[in-house]
Amino acid sequence: MDGRPASVETLTPVVLSNYGAFTSMQIEDGGVRGLDLHLERLEQEALELFGVAVPEGRLRERMRSALNGRTGRCSLRVQLFLQTVTLRSPDAQGEPSVLVVATDPATPLCDPLRLQTQAYAREAAHLKHAGTFGLTRARRAAAMTGFDDALFIGSDGLVSEGSIWNIGFVEDGRIVWPVARMLAGTGQGLIERGLDSVGLDSERRPIDRAALADFRQAFICNSATPVCPVGNIDGRSLDVDPALIDRLQAAWAANAPQPI
């Protein structure tokens, strides 16, 4: 917490309030693929939620401190919160504190996913905020009915995102990303940056529930899972093309880790 070992006293405000935001990343020997995307996200979150951004140098220092000399791979979550923002004083502003948690590396998903569409949209969907009750409830509901995860469709009828990932569809060899109220994922950003290197291109357009039937292939992506195929949506089977998944993985891998 702010460069020092966390204590009960410093963690209590985080536990008692979900007014905050974060980003999660995978560390590879002290570097992160798309670190610039994560730092940009943290800056935008801090400005919108607290009115003041944490200087980039300080964020990097906090991250290095939490790694504490770790080498190899691990997961890192960087969360922002401001103790003075409460229900009694919601208008407080100031530079947020930085909670950094280092854990074992996340295991990427690889088996084709069975997705259940659900009518849901995250509050302030453009932010990766700490209010995750709805996401957990959606994943739980999907799991209890035999699916792996939930694919959200907003009140406007548009396909947006999943619980903790973005989704991409494939049409005539082109990647199609949904346009809707949702989070701009770092995994999606990395794939986009690398598509040219593997001879693929992409487009963005609104996709409604009916249009899902037009796609025969889909995949999900986030910071922990570069690419994972979707094998089923609402009971309808989709094709899985391992060669395409390899190309998308290569597009993601075309982005070298950036040193912290």
Side-chain angles (χ1 to χ4, degrees), residues 162-176:
S163 59
I164 54 173
W165 37 261
N166 291 108
I167 190 167
F169 299 93
V170 184
E171 181 181 73
D172 299 327
R174 169 176 289 197
I175 307 305
V176 181

Side-chain angles (χ1 to χ4, degrees), residues 70-151:
R70 279 184 184 235
T71 59
R73 295 175 177 266
C74 69
S75 294
L76 206 67
R77 173 179 169 127
V78 183
Q79 182 163 332
L80 307 177
F81 78 100
L82 188 60
Q83 182 173 349
T84 54
V85 175
T86 67
L87 285 174
R88 293 177 180 270
S89 57
D91 56 341
Q93 294 194 41
E95 183 179 317
S97 289
V98 183
L99 170 65
V100 187
V101 183
T103 58
D104 291 339
T107 301
L109 300 172
C110 56
D111 295 331
L113 296 175
R114 297 160 298 165
L115 303 181
Q116 179 189 57
T117 58
Q118 294 186 18
Y120 180 75
R122 294 187 306 109
E123 184 176 6
H126 62 291
L127 296 174
K128 192 174 180 70
H129 54 75
T132 58
F133 170 82
L135 302 183
T136 304
R137 187 168 182 265
R139 296 192 75 184
R140 180 179 173 85
M144 293 180 71
T145 50
F147 293 89
D148 296 312
D149 213 328
L151 173 61

Side-chain angles (χ1 to χ4, degrees), residues 200-213:
L200 292 172
D201 60 4
S202 67
E203 66 173 278
R204 300 168 187 262
R205 67 173 187 252
I207 299 172
D208 61 20
R209 184 188 293 273
L212 287 174

Side-chain angles (χ1 to χ4, degrees), residues 19-109:
Y19 189 83
F22 68 100
T23 194
S24 294
M25 62 195 78
Q26 302 304 305
I27 307 296
E28 301 178 47
D29 294 321
V32 180
R33 298 179 196 267
L35 177 61
D36 59 323
L37 298 175
H38 290 284
L39 293 173
E40 180 182 0
R41 171 184 286 171
L42 290 168
E43 179 182 23
Q44 293 174 349
E45 290 172 341
L47 289 173
E48 181 166 343
L49 295 180
F50 310 110
V52 180
V54 182
E56 180 179 320
R58 189 169 300 154
L59 281 173
R60 289 173 177 267
E61 178 186 349
R62 302 295 190 238
M63 292 161 65
R64 291 193 297 266
S65 176
L67 288 172
N68 193 26
R70 279 184 184 235
T71 59
R73 295 175 177 266
C74 69
S75 294
L76 206 67
R77 173 179 169 127
V78 183
Q79 182 163 332
L80 307 177
F81 78 100
L82 188 60
Q83 182 173 349
T84 54
V85 175
T86 67
L87 285 174
R88 293 177 180 270
S89 57
D91 56 341
Q93 294 194 41
E95 183 179 317
S97 289
V98 183
L99 170 65
V100 187
V101 183
T103 58
D104 291 339
T107 301
L109 300 172

